[in-house]
Amino acid sequence: MSDIYKKTVLCFGDSNTYGFNPENHGRYDEEIRWTGRLQRLLGEEYKVVEEGCNGRTTVFADPADPWKMGKPYLKPCLNTHKPVSIVIMMLGTNDLKKCYNASAEDIASGVEELINEIYEFADSKQLFRPKVIVVSPPLLGENADTVQTPSNFDKSAVERSGQLAALYRSLADRYGCLYYDAAVRSKVSETDQVHLSAEGHRNLAEGLYEVVKQCDCQ
C-alpha cells in the first residue's frame, strides 16, 4: 500500500516513548519499543511516527536543557509529519521532578496547553483535527525517590504520579479526546522505578492498539 493512504499516528512523549532501557541506559530495539510493537499490530494502514525525547516535559523548561520543553516543539513536529490522523500524547513523568515544583494540577494544565496547540495547528495547517489520545503515564515506583543517587524525584512525586490519571481523564472528556491510563497494564522497571520494562512496552502497545482502533479518524 502506498504511504499516501496511510493514517499517520504521531507518538509524542518522553523517554518512555523514546524507549529508554533502564537496564543499560541505552535504547530498546524497535521490536521491543511500544511504538514499534504498535506499528506491527496496526499493520500497513497506519504509519506510526516515534517522537520521544528523553527528559521532555509539557511546558516546563529543564534548567540544563530548556529545548526539551514539549510545547515549542509540538507545532513544528506536527507540521513535519502532516497530515496527522492521530496524536498519542504521553507526558507528565518528567514534570514531576523536584526542580519544577509542579502540582498534579499544574502538570495537567501543561497537557491542556498541548491539546490546544494541536487543535490550533490543525485548524490552520491541515484540513481536519487529528484525534488526540491523552495517555496518563505509568506510575512512578514507590522507591523512585531513592533508587537513583542523586534522585530527580522526591516522595511527593510518587504521590503526585498517582493523581494524574483522574485529571487527564477529565481533560480528555472536556476536549473530545480519547483517554488511556498506561498504569492499568504497564509498570515501570524495578531497576530504576521510572522507565518501562520490556513487558511494560508490550502491554502499553496492546492497550493503545485497542484505543487506536476505536478512532474514527481521517
Side-chain angles (χ1 to χ4, degrees):
M1 181 181 291
S2 169
D3 279 0
I4 197 170
Y5 298 110
K6 293 185 178 182
K7 296 176 181 178
T8 295
V9 181
L10 178 64
C11 303
F12 193 75
D14 53 29
S15 52
N16 274 324
T17 298
Y18 170 83
F20 182 88
N21 185 337
E23 303 301 326
N24 60 17
H25 291 195
R27 189 182 192 186
Y28 286 121
D29 290 337
E30 183 179 355
E31 64 268 18
I32 294 177
R33 299 196 296 266
W34 70 263
T35 46
R37 291 178 180 274
L38 181 62
Q39 178 68 79
R40 291 194 297 278
L41 289 168
L42 290 171
E44 63 178 10
E45 277 188 63
Y46 296 82
K47 180 180 180 181
V48 175
V49 177
E50 297 178 313
E51 280 287 354
C53 175
N54 295 334
R56 178 174 284 150
T57 64
T58 56
V59 298
F60 300 101
D62 185 298
D65 298 309
W67 51 268
K68 290 183 177 180
M69 188 194 309
K71 185 175 179 178
Y73 179 68
L74 182 52
K75 283 183 178 178
C77 179
L78 289 163
N79 197 59
T80 297
H81 301 293
K82 70 181 182 185
V84 175
S85 297
I86 299 169
V87 179
I88 300 176
M89 182 165 56
M90 186 171 73
L91 287 169
T93 298
N94 290 302
D95 303 49
L96 294 164
K97 291 178 179 177
K98 291 182 286 188
C99 62
Y100 302 124
N101 194 32
S103 67
E105 289 78 11
D106 293 333
I107 296 169
S109 292
V111 173
E112 183 174 15
E113 288 190 40
L114 297 187
I115 294 171
N116 280 315
E117 287 285 291
I118 294 168
Y119 288 165
E120 287 173 9
F121 171 85
D123 289 347
S124 64
K125 299 298 183 182
Q126 68 176 45
L127 298 176
F128 58 90
R129 286 185 172 187
K131 198 66 180 178
V132 178
I133 302 174
V134 176
V135 183
S136 55
L139 299 177
L140 291 177
E142 61 181 14
N143 297 316
D145 60 318
T146 59
V147 74
Q148 301 177 53
T149 306
S151 177
N152 289 314
F153 303 98
D154 56 21
K155 186 59 74 176
S156 77
V158 178
E159 179 181 350
R160 285 177 286 129
S161 174
Q163 296 170 359
L164 296 179
L167 293 167
Y168 282 28
R169 183 186 293 275
S170 176
L171 271 180
D173 289 344
R174 268 193 287 142
Y175 282 89
C177 306
L178 294 174
Y179 169 76
Y180 183 72
D181 183 355
V184 170
R185 293 170 64 169
S186 297
K187 295 183 179 180
V188 296
S189 165
E190 291 292 330
T191 302
D192 75 355
Q193 307 272 301
V194 176
H195 295 99
L196 289 170
S197 63
E199 180 182 9
H201 276 269
R202 183 185 69 241
N203 292 341
L204 181 57
E206 292 173 353
L208 284 171
Y209 167 76
E210 295 170 3
V211 181
V212 170
K213 296 303 287 185
Q214 296 174 26
C215 288
D216 180 16
C217 59
Q218 299 185 51

